[in-house]
Amino acid sequence: MIKSIIFILTTTFSFAQSVTKTMNLIPDTGQNISYTTTFGEDNDYTINAPSYTNNNNGTITDNITGLMWQQVDGGEMTIENAFIYADNLVLGGFSDWLLPSPMESFSILNHQNNNPAMNTTFFMVSDAEYWWTNSYQAGDNTKVWCTNAGGGIGNKPKSETISAGGIKKYHVRAVRNNSIATTIANHYTDNGNGTITDNLTQLVWQKVPNTTVLTWENALVYAETLSLASATDWRLPNIKELQSLNDESVTNPSANTTFFPTIGVHNYWSSTSLPNQTSKSWYWNTQFGITTYDIKTNTNYVICVRGNPTTLTLNNFDLKPNIMAFPNPFSSKITIENALGNETYQLYNEIGQQVFTGKNIEKEDFSGLQKGIYFLEITGKTTSKIKLIKQ
């Protein structure tokens, strides 16, 4: 069955909850390796592919968020000195540098890499274990939100850094907004149909999370097959999207319970695997809002997301010259040449929705498919991916 996107007019509800927007969009995690044959993992979706510009003046511009970053972090220091350092930094001809918010700091992590989970082509490697943000834990000024070199974010004791008498290395990396920050009157909008729109990120969320805990693989299947509010393009969020729901000003749960009243204190799966421990996947815990990881065969909760555009990129595109699909463009039938006879075929449309799976693709009639671009994945001794056009 072809998944479709249907736009309907609904009654919406909003409450006064203004928020400052400093990021244009949330970048993808950078994960570009597949860790399962089940469709829906992080690698299967390319939405806002990470993109940077080296300004050749000690600064890096994130082309997705619009933020400008310090290329070489400022080194180890206490949180108090980190605030002073950022406020007084002059770099690249700019003096309006700040400590990043948790969401901003998390946005530049690359979850295909580990220690550091950064794009080291653009950001210089340091011996940092953590990077300070501008937010203390709600109700406890002894702890500060920090991102870490392993790819996570959490509320950490400020006394742990070396300069405060500890043994760990907490560094500062300053940020500035390339444009004037804007105020959005309503952070969230209740669409009145079981969905919530985040006006800050432009993502649409399932209002009531799944009430049954699932393994990671089953969470992928649940999200990909969810039909809600006349939409079927739901998916399991990547860890950056999931973390964007966190509200560091509240705890137990660390989320907006006006719009997500049943979110509770739970662990929520993301679609992002841990690259150096591939049996594990990242999750978001809503007690305080940390992101960490769990074994994929364990069970956690699920909250699904959708957004526009959602574009699938079939990574590791590999045309095998000995296996061919024709005609191309096709209208109704697809013929496979030089196959051994035991291959499995999966046909996806251009937004990543599976429209066929099986071994007898030549017997299928695809006359009913909409015109457009399709991707055929052929799995046998090796895996081939072929781009087809339906006319």
Side-chain angles (χ1 to χ4, degrees), residues 264-385:
V265 177
H266 299 301
N267 299 334
Y268 285 90
W269 282 124
S270 80
S271 64
T272 309
S273 295
L274 200 66
N276 60 329
Q277 299 180 56
T278 58
S279 64
K280 299 177 181 179
S281 180
W282 288 96
Y283 69 80
W284 170 52
N285 174 273
T286 58
Q287 181 182 13
F288 294 103
I290 68 168
T291 63
T292 186
Y293 39 84
D294 195 8
I295 298 172
K296 292 176 178 177
T297 52
N298 288 343
T299 56
N300 291 304
Y301 285 83
V302 177
I303 185 169
C304 298
V305 72
R306 61 186 295 264
N308 295 304
T310 301
T311 304
L312 172 70
T313 293
L314 286 176
N315 294 303
N316 303 317
F317 197 84
D318 185 15
L319 290 178
K320 297 293 183 184
N322 60 320
I323 300 180
M324 297 181 62
F326 66 90
N328 190 14
F330 70 99
S331 59
S332 59
K333 295 289 185 178
I334 298 175
T335 301
I336 305 299
E337 186 177 76
N338 294 333
L340 297 176
N342 60 350
E343 290 84 1
T344 298
Y345 301 93
Q346 294 181 331
L347 187 65
Y348 298 95
N349 63 19
E350 62 182 321
I351 62 170
Q353 299 162 346
Q354 187 181 90
V355 298
F356 171 80
T357 183
K359 290 185 175 294
N360 297 314
I361 193 171
E362 293 186 348
K363 295 182 178 180
E364 293 295 315
D365 187 345
F366 296 110
S367 301
L369 290 183
Q370 295 180 349
K371 296 179 180 180
I373 297 172
Y374 290 81
F375 296 93
L376 178 62
E377 185 172 83
I378 306 171
T379 303
K381 288 186 177 180
T382 60
T383 297
S384 306
K385 297 181 178 74

Side-chain angles (χ1 to χ4, degrees), residues 24-50:
N24 295 330
L25 294 168
I26 298 176
D28 294 348
T29 66
Q31 191 148 108
N32 55 16
I33 294 177
S34 176
Y35 299 104
T36 178
T37 58
T38 302
F39 187 81
E41 64 175 323
D42 193 339
N43 169 71
D44 287 327
Y45 288 97
T46 298
I47 302 168
N48 301 313

